[in-house]
Amino acid sequence: GGRISNRLFYLSIPPNIFTAAVRCASLSASSANGWTRVIVEKPFGRDSESSAALTNALKQYLEEDQIFRIDHYLGKELVENLSVLRFSNLIFEPLWSRQYIRSVQLIFSEDFGTEGRGGYFDNYGIIRDIMQNHLLQILALFAMETPVSLDGEDIRNEKVKVLRSMRPLQLEDVVIGQYKSHTKGGVSYPGYTDDKTVPKDSLTPTFAAASLFIDNARWDGVPFLMKAGKALHTRRTEIRVQFRHVPGNLYNRNFGTDLDQATNELVIRVQPDEAIYLTINNKVPGLGMRLDRSNLNLLYAARYSKEIPDAYERLLLDAVEGERRLFIRSDELASAWALFTPVLKELEEKKIIPEYYPYGSRGPVGAYYLAARHNVRWGDLGLEQ
């Protein structure tokens, strides 16, 4: 009717037909007088080469500002809140550096296995499926410097700087695992290779832990520990910030030899039961001097009666409005792949055998040794369990 028509295409299809679909959309179905945008659902390639090839193929038909690479984790309420928490609260920003933070942990766990989706998963594995995108994106948002503004390009510029200053990942910095069958309470749970869509001799990891380092002035020497796994004992995604010990703490003897019990921790729980809480030391009421750890807790369900919008709702609305802040730019994607590709190739070429862990357990023991090597322990084994 003579009005401006805009077109938004959403590619939630197998990656091998991305380019063909974009070619058809671009040549035959582009808007004549409005904008044409394409949302691309992951996976964005399997490694640096395939990712670059995909980007180049898309750019034959589209400009970079027409491509919206969607990572639904960036639309989650608590991830969105990360920069608000940090940049608009004076109590956090001065502490956000190596002087005060001992380690940062990004933890993703699911309490179910591949459940018949093994065919897709086996081609990618947990590192490509969760770490290289969801967890690395959260890390970049967490660790970036203050952007010039809230403009999408300014935020993405700072994220790219973080990714480019990260130390290349070595094989010894990574632990991989695969879940095996387990019987618990009379119920038998299948192993990963029991899935009919998975090859019997598959070495694809369903669990991985890694220690990453950002070699810049703010984060030099702080271990960023990531772990992600399927078929674990709980379902959760959280960021745990462990602060350093108080120097010369007057109350050390009240904590005994375990100084970790006296460490402050800021936890941002992305899912389920969205919450932000700070673990502090507190005196137990009474005549004696007994200390314990208490949580200053912001539980979203208790504080806000409104339903939290689904991550995709927010991201689709942003794509319609042309807001690129929460979408991944091509140089950002290239930097993320550059970090993980060498170690992924090495794992596959050397046919590294994953450490097996029972379905419903806390994952491979190797993950605990990895944390201990950096003099840290995983926070999700803490006292609030």
Side-chain angles (χ1 to χ4, degrees):
R3 286 180 297 187
I4 291 178
S5 64
N6 299 313
R7 302 255 166 102
L8 180 63
F9 295 93
Y10 191 144
L11 305 187
S12 186
I13 52 178
N16 58 336
I17 52 173
F18 276 172
T19 313
V22 165
R23 184 180 68 238
C24 296
S26 171
L27 301 178
S28 316
S30 280
S31 169
N33 53 7
W35 49 253
T36 303
R37 295 177 187 143
V38 177
I39 298 177
V40 185
E41 182 72 74
K42 76 173 181 65
F44 317 121
R46 286 190 85 252
D47 51 27
S48 291
E49 291 77 24
S50 55
S51 173
L54 178 62
T55 295
N56 292 338
L58 294 180
K59 284 189 176 177
Q60 287 176 5
Y61 307 104
L62 300 168
E63 298 297 319
E64 172 66 36
D65 64 4
Q66 290 179 283
I67 304 170
F68 286 70
R69 296 174 190 82
I70 195 167
D71 182 334
H72 70 277
Y73 261 70
L74 293 183
K76 289 195 179 286
E77 189 65 45
L78 272 283
V79 176
E80 268 273 70
N81 196 25
L82 248 183
S83 43
V84 177
L85 189 72
R86 184 177 156 193
F87 298 127
S88 73
N89 290 295
L90 186 62
I91 56 167
F92 292 124
E93 179 53 24
L95 305 178
W96 223 256
S97 73
R98 60 192 296 275
Q99 276 86 354
Y100 297 100
I101 291 178
R102 187 171 70 151
S103 80
V104 179
Q105 301 177 6
L106 300 125
I107 296 170
F108 171 98
S109 68
E110 288 180 337
D111 55 3
F112 52 88
T114 50
E115 325 282 286
R117 281 184 67 245
Y120 159 79
F121 183 85
D122 198 67
N123 193 29
Y124 290 93
I126 198 84
I127 297 178
R128 291 184 178 91
D129 199 39
I130 303 294
M131 282 189 165
Q132 181 272 339
N133 38 67
H134 301 333
L135 295 188
L136 194 60
Q137 285 294 321
I138 294 175
L139 186 154
L141 275 174
F142 177 94
M144 69 183 184
E145 296 298 318
T146 312
V148 176
S149 76
L150 289 176
D151 179 67
E153 293 311 302
D154 290 334
I155 289 174
R156 298 196 296 186
N157 288 344
E158 295 305 332
K159 283 167 68 190
V160 170
K161 285 181 196 169
V162 171
L163 296 174
R164 288 183 58 194
S165 52
M166 291 181 77
R167 202 181 296 170
L169 203 52
Q170 305 296 324
L171 198 55
E172 61 265 23
D173 299 330
V174 178
V175 170
I176 58 168
Q178 190 187 91
Y179 66 90
K180 61 183 182 184
S181 58
H182 181 53
T183 305
K184 188 175 174 185
V187 182
S188 166
Y189 296 94
Y192 175 65
T193 51
D194 297 335
D195 186 328
K196 290 187 171 42
T197 58
V198 172
K200 286 285 165 243
D201 57 350
S202 172
L203 297 177
T204 301
T206 60
F207 174 98
S211 52
L212 299 146
F213 288 89
I214 302 170
D215 291 334
N216 64 14
R218 184 184 286 270
W219 298 112
D220 186 34
V222 176
F224 282 77
L225 296 175
M226 262 184 202
K227 71 172 172 179
K230 288 184 173 293
L232 295 170
H233 70 298
T234 178
R235 173 178 169 262
R236 67 169 65 201
T237 303
E238 58 188 19
I239 307 160
R240 301 188 80 103
V241 186
Q242 294 184 345
F243 292 95
R244 296 194 177 280
H245 300 309
V246 175
N249 192 337
L250 293 170
Y251 293 97
N252 270 357
R253 63 190 182 80
N254 298 78
F255 288 104
T257 53
D258 190 358
L259 276 180
D260 281 336
Q261 285 197 7
T263 303
N264 297 129
E265 195 173 25
L266 174 67
V267 181
I268 299 161
R269 192 160 61 224
V270 178
Q271 67 180 32
D273 306 326
E274 292 87 349
I276 299 169
Y277 61 90
L278 185 63
T279 307
I280 61 162
N281 300 318
N282 195 41
K283 178 184 175 298
V284 177
L287 297 176
M289 179 52 79
R290 201 158 68 79
L291 274 59
D292 78 347
R293 281 162 59 107
S294 308
N295 290 341
L296 297 177
N297 199 345
L298 163 60
L299 188 64
Y300 269 56
R303 175 73 178 84
Y304 302 107
S305 55
K306 279 173 64 175
E307 186 187 344
I308 293 176
D310 182 79
Y312 279 107
E313 287 180 68
R314 171 177 285 121
L315 292 170
L316 291 172
L317 184 63
D318 278 357
V320 170
E321 291 177 346
E323 168 59 75
R324 291 178 182 79
R325 197 165 44 93
L326 299 174
F327 293 88
I328 300 160
R329 208 165 61 186
S330 58
D331 55 344
E332 205 180 327
L333 183 60
S335 300
W337 273 121
L339 198 61
F340 278 97
T341 295
V343 83
L344 283 165
K345 286 221 158 95
E346 207 173 339
L347 285 168
E348 282 166 11
E349 283 164 7
K350 293 185 174 171
K351 292 192 165 41
I352 303 288
I353 294 171
E355 187 184 326
Y356 296 100
Y357 62 97
Y359 193 117
S361 68
R362 289 179 178 270
V365 176
Y368 302 102
Y369 288 121
L370 181 74
R373 206 187 313 152
H374 302 293
N375 203 21
V376 174
R377 67 171 68 163
W378 290 105
D380 60 335
L381 309 176
L383 302 173
E384 86 269 9
Q385 292 303 320

